[in-house]
Amino acid sequence: MNIIELKNINKVFGNESNQVHALKNVNFSVEKGDFVAIIGQSGSGKSTLMNIIGCLDVPTSGEYKINNVEVSKMNANQLAELRCKTFGFIFQRYNLLTSLKATDNASLPAIYAGVDAFERTKRAEEILSNLDLSDKYKSRPNELSGGQQQRVSIARALMNGGDIILADEPTGALDSKSGENVMKIIKQLHQKGHTIILVTHDKSIAAQASRMIEIKDGEIVADIRNADDIYEMKDKPLQVARGKLAHLKYSLMEAFNMSVHAIISNKMRSLLTMLGIIIGIASVVSVVALGNASQAKIMERINSMGTNTIDILPGKGFGDMRSGRVKSLKVSDSDYLAKQRFIDNATPNVSANGTLLFENTSVNAQLSGVGAEFFEVKGRKIAQGRIFTPEEVRNMASVVVIDDNTLNEIFPNNPNPVGEIIIFNKKPLKVIGVTEKDNNPGPMSDSMKLWTPYTTAMFKVNGNNDISTITVKVSDTVNSQVAEESIDNILTALHGKKDFFMINTDSIKQTVESTTNTMKLLISSIAVISLIVGGIGVMNIMLVSVTERTREIGIRMAIGAKQRDILQQFLIEAVLICIIGGFLGVTLSISLGTAINYFSTDFGMDFSTTSIILALTCSTAIGIIFGYMPARNASELNPIDALASE
Ligand SMILES: Nc1ncnc2c1ncn2[C@@H]1O[C@H](COP(=O)(O)OP(=O)(O)OP(=O)(O)O)[C@@H](O)[C@H]1O
Ligand SMILES: [Mg+2]
């Protein structure tokens, strides 16, 4: 039975102006189990013929059948399948992968056939030991002699069965003794039933084959049969009883291992490539963390201004120069507002600057006249004593609540000042309570604060009924925006004009939130540019890597790697670089954040799992996007061109 049939095969290289007709109307067939030598001078077209037979190259015209199936009708995957399972290549220059051990080199084709690691290694060691290499399993090609390397390459050719062994000048680079040894092995393979096609320019080697075809200037000039020995297949075929999934798994694992290997063997280059990704990811993650932390901090301060409160101030707004002098707000406004159903309570606030006197100490301090609800609304807690009652507010009681700053300043030696009398602007006030330390200190955190009933502040201290602000606590069930509008309407109606403005903590919160979010987005998009630059770096280095490893790609294709396998390998390498970069970036950012959180109280970083997951997803995406083009270039290489590259 003919395993190979060639009819009128022509191969023309080059363009119209510079054509080389390497093969001219070549016709012959090879019987299963035969041993054919192709002989001819240098440049006669032997290798060209061999490459066409091995499905590494396609003829310009003619028919080529393997096992009665026309090869020209096959797609790239089917051709790869043939190279993988049917052919075994032995090259003149061995073509082993320099980074792999002998067993791994020998077992490489089985990866593309979908065999698991254990069985792969077992079979490879078995074949290597049959070839007298049992002590060289772990040696890399540069630790082996030429003859030994050629035997490893023979083992590789046999790995997936090697029904048809294609040997192009297998002894060409060897000394005569190693050459003889290799020929002996090839003859044994023939006897075990492998079909052998061997290319040589040496008549004595060709004479050892059963059939000798001589080729001259691309034409067959002689076809001589020396012996009729055709053998049945006796060698163990490779057992692959696995589905597509297992195949995918092994090729993915192989791609992953190769990528790790490639990254480790080019440490500096990989690190520099990753740098762009590291910086990009670190800045995005840091910006978001910084934004989150400062937003939380600002929110905390706003919350300390009281929840659901609206402050009403005289004037047109912040920056209104007159607002200090405008006395448009009255106690009656506050009383009127307090009666509204949507308002829990409203208190007028009066402020007075003056001198505080106690025994020999005299200091400047600020006195605020407030309502009894003030402390609850603003969330100020009492450390000792009590706050004043509504009764005392009505009666203009001369009582005062002081804060911890005042306590430390005025009563340095008396931690329990309740009951003491202090003098503010010549008016005696009795201390009834001390507030707790403010745990959300604002900008003027070390100023001394004192609170009296607003009635006391107006009539006893200031001597007039001017009030500076009104604080309104809106019912929890009412939307603060709606409340603000209603207050606006009421006061405008009362005053006949709008001579006040409001500070609504809720709307401040919303503004702060939206501002920080915008800032985060803005700075993040700048950081994304760095990520894109990083991605271009990855693409660049992958293109270099593909160029450097073109020969490796050629070898892999020759022994059965599909385009998908090659694409996968380079894509995984790019993604791996980016993921490692992303991981390092996140780590860098977190360590930076930890340091900042440790040393600084003003700044902080708040990392969210979402942003970290997002960053890592982003770096994976960059790997895929920027790695795809180089990987596709690699996978679309022509096997024969790739093999020929140095
Ligand atoms: N890729 C190519 N582009 C152009 N011409 C080519 C190409 N490959 C081979 N040739 C030409 O085709 C002819 C046959 O080359 P081939 O490599 O098949 O020779 P060979 O018989 O294997 O020689 P050798 O014994 O030196 O290896 C030569 O003239 C060569 O210059
Ligand atoms: Mg050649």
Side-chain angles (χ1 to χ4, degrees):
M1 194 187 99
N2 286 336
I3 196 165
I4 282 173
E5 273 175 69
L6 296 157
K7 260 194 208 142
N8 292 326
I9 294 288
N10 281 281
K11 181 71 185 178
V12 182
F13 288 112
N15 49 24
E16 274 175 32
S17 60
N18 181 24
Q19 278 190 345
V20 179
H21 209 145
L23 293 177
K24 295 164 196 158
N25 289 322
V26 171
N27 284 291
F28 74 95
S29 11
V30 176
E31 210 172 323
K32 194 172 175 153
D34 205 351
F35 180 4
V36 181
I38 297 172
I39 189 166
Q41 284 170 347
S42 178
S44 54
K46 307 182 295 291
S47 296
T48 309
L49 180 61
M50 198 67 146
N51 292 336
I52 289 174
I53 294 174
C55 299
L56 288 170
D57 206 356
V58 286
T60 314
S61 68
E63 282 173 35
Y64 172 27
K65 283 186 185 161
I66 298 176
N67 284 324
N68 276 327
V69 185
E70 178 60 45
V71 171
S72 63
K73 297 207 170 67
M74 294 187 183
N75 62 24
N77 275 348
Q78 288 167 318
L79 291 177
E81 193 80 14
L82 270 182
R83 292 196 293 264
C84 182
K85 305 227 170 104
T86 308
F87 293 112
F89 286 92
I90 303 170
F91 301 94
Q92 178 174 0
R93 300 223 142 262
Y94 332 125
N95 278 344
L96 299 175
L97 296 189
T98 48
S99 58
L100 299 185
K101 290 181 286 218
T103 30
D104 293 335
N105 256 307
S107 66
L108 207 55
I111 290 168
Y112 300 116
V115 182
D116 76 52
F118 177 76
E119 279 172 51
R120 260 177 0 227
T121 315
K122 203 175 114 207
R123 184 173 162 94
E125 288 181 353
E126 202 177 293
I127 298 173
L128 284 172
S129 82
N130 285 343
L131 295 172
D132 259 348
L133 285 169
S134 44
D135 53 340
K136 298 290 178 193
Y137 293 159
K138 296 206 157 34
S139 308
R140 287 173 213 281
N142 59 0
E143 296 156 0
L144 295 170
S145 73
Q148 288 167 336
Q149 289 187 60
Q150 193 59 299
R151 277 182 278 154
V152 173
S153 102
I154 293 174
R156 182 177 65 187
L158 295 174
M159 188 66 196
N160 285 357
D163 285 350
I164 308 172
I165 300 280
L166 302 175
D168 191 348
E169 305 263 13
T171 57
L174 300 176
D175 61 278
S176 57
K177 185 140 181 298
S178 311
E180 273 168 31
N181 190 5
V182 166
M183 277 314 292
K184 210 171 90 197
I185 294 168
I186 289 178
K187 278 188 278 180
Q188 281 167 359
L189 292 179
H190 171 224
Q191 281 157 16
K192 282 183 184 164
H194 296 268
T195 308
I196 310 238
I197 301 176
L198 177 139
V199 161
T200 181
H201 57 264
D202 185 337
K203 277 231 154 70
S204 67
I205 286 177
Q208 300 177 41
S210 308
R211 179 182 171 194
M212 191 168 80
I213 295 174
E214 190 174 349
I215 183 167
K216 194 175 178 193
D217 293 334
E219 282 177 297
I220 294 182
V221 290
D223 189 343
I224 305 157
R225 186 161 277 287
N226 299 326
D228 274 329
D229 49 348
I230 284 177
Y231 298 90
E232 282 293 308
M233 192 60 161
K234 289 184 212 63
D235 248 358
K236 241 190 338 191
L238 178 77
Q239 301 287 346
V240 190
R242 261 170 266 275
K244 280 209 159 92
L245 214 64
H247 184 120
L248 188 71
K249 187 176 129 201
Y250 298 128
S251 72
L252 273 177
M253 260 157 56
E254 162 70 3
F256 181 80
N257 289 341
M258 286 311 295
S259 308
V260 171
H261 186 91
I263 291 170
I264 289 174
S265 53
N266 287 308
K267 280 190 208 73
M268 195 60 195
R269 187 165 91 181
S270 308
L271 190 70
L272 287 175
T273 311
M274 282 172 201
L275 209 56
I277 304 289
I278 296 176
I279 294 172
I281 291 288
S283 31
V284 175
V285 174
S286 303
V287 165
V288 173
L290 214 57
N292 283 347
S294 28
Q295 196 171 32
K297 203 146 207 161
I298 295 171
M299 282 305 164
E300 220 172 285
R301 280 192 194 161
I302 294 173
N303 284 339
S304 76
M305 286 166 67
T307 45
N308 239 3
T309 60
I310 296 176
D311 285 317
I312 306 165
L313 292 83
K316 290 202 179 74
F318 288 116
D320 181 354
M321 301 300 275
R322 298 173 309 125
S323 72
R325 283 177 279 129
V326 181
K327 308 289 180 207
S328 55
L329 296 173
K330 296 177 206 72
V331 179
S332 60
D333 294 334
S334 173
D335 291 344
Y336 193 84
L337 287 175
K339 283 190 208 119
Q340 304 302 316
R341 292 210 2 237
F342 66 94
I343 287 172
D344 277 357
N345 59 57
T347 56
N349 302 309
V350 182
S351 68
N353 275 314
T355 323
L356 179 61
L357 204 66
F358 179 73
E359 291 176 352
N360 296 331
T361 325
S362 155
V363 285
N364 266 328
Q366 193 179 27
L367 180 77
S368 306
V370 295
E373 306 84 1
F374 172 86
F375 299 93
E376 193 204 319
V377 171
K378 296 290 183 187
R380 299 237 35 170
K381 299 218 171 60
I382 288 292
Q384 49 174 302
R386 59 176 182 87
I387 58 170
F388 35 82
T389 60
E391 194 83 65
E392 285 167 322
V393 175
R394 247 175 284 131
N395 298 338
M396 286 182 249
S398 293
V399 289
V400 67
V401 174
I402 62 172
D403 72 345
D404 61 310
N405 285 331
T406 319
L407 171 72
N408 297 337
E409 193 78 21
I410 307 291
F411 306 103
N413 306 318
N414 181 4
N416 297 308
V418 175
E420 300 281 358
I421 306 288
I422 56 172
I423 314 287
F424 186 84
N425 278 1
K426 297 177 189 156
K427 303 291 182 314
L429 299 168
K430 185 175 159 196
V431 177
I432 58 164
V434 181
T435 60
E436 272 178 14
K437 190 169 170 55
D438 190 356
N439 38 17
N440 283 305
M444 286 165 26
S445 55
D446 51 357
S447 69
M448 293 187 288
K449 296 189 190 76
L450 302 108
W451 297 275
T452 61
Y454 66 89
T455 45
T456 317
M458 279 195 290
F459 301 114
K460 286 196 172 157
V461 181
N462 283 354
N464 59 41
N465 63 354
D466 292 338
I467 63 172
S468 43
T469 63
I470 298 172
T471 302
V472 173
K473 170 111 168 71
V474 179
S475 297
D476 287 336
T477 50
V478 179
N479 179 296
S480 73
Q481 222 83 40
V482 177
E484 191 176 334
E485 271 168 41
S486 312
I487 293 171
D488 198 310
N489 291 339
I490 292 169
L491 287 185
T492 312
L494 283 176
H495 293 188
K497 62 177 184 228
K498 188 171 159 70
D499 50 6
F500 59 91
F501 69 97
M502 282 176 271
I503 301 173
N504 181 343
T505 47
D506 266 11
S507 42
I508 295 177
K509 262 193 242 177
Q510 280 164 15
T511 317
V512 169
E513 218 158 350
S514 75
T515 318
T516 42
N517 284 346
T518 316
M519 286 302 284
K520 269 194 279 186
L521 200 70
L522 201 78
I523 305 177
S524 296
S525 37
I526 295 170
V528 164
I529 295 174
S530 144
L531 272 183
I532 292 174
V533 174
I536 294 170
V538 171
M539 176 146 82
N540 185 24
I541 219 71
M542 290 312 296
L543 285 171
V544 171
S545 178
V546 168
T547 314
E548 271 179 1
R549 284 151 64 189
T550 305
R551 194 177 169 78
E552 177 194 322
I553 296 166
I555 296 171
R556 284 175 182 274
M557 284 177 158
I559 61 171
K562 297 195 172 75
Q563 289 192 335
R564 201 197 55 216
D565 295 316
I566 303 290
L567 181 93
Q568 196 169 279
Q569 182 184 333
F570 283 92
L571 205 54
I572 285 181
E573 188 172 326
V575 170
L576 205 60
I577 287 182
C578 289
I579 289 183
I580 297 174
F583 192 76
L584 290 179
V586 170
T587 316
L588 179 72
S589 172
I590 290 180
S591 23
L592 201 76
T594 317
I596 287 182
N597 288 344
Y598 183 77
F599 288 113
S600 161
T601 48
D602 297 340
F603 273 117
M605 281 172 123
D606 183 4
F607 294 94
S608 71
T609 336
T610 332
S611 74
I612 289 170
I613 291 173
L614 214 68
L616 291 178
T617 317
C618 191
S619 49
T620 313
I622 289 172
I624 294 173
I625 294 166
F626 289 94
Y628 183 75
M629 203 263 272
R632 204 198 50 197
N633 282 359
S635 72
E636 285 177 355
L637 281 172
N638 183 355
I640 196 71
D641 294 339
L643 260 181
S645 88
E646 273 310 310

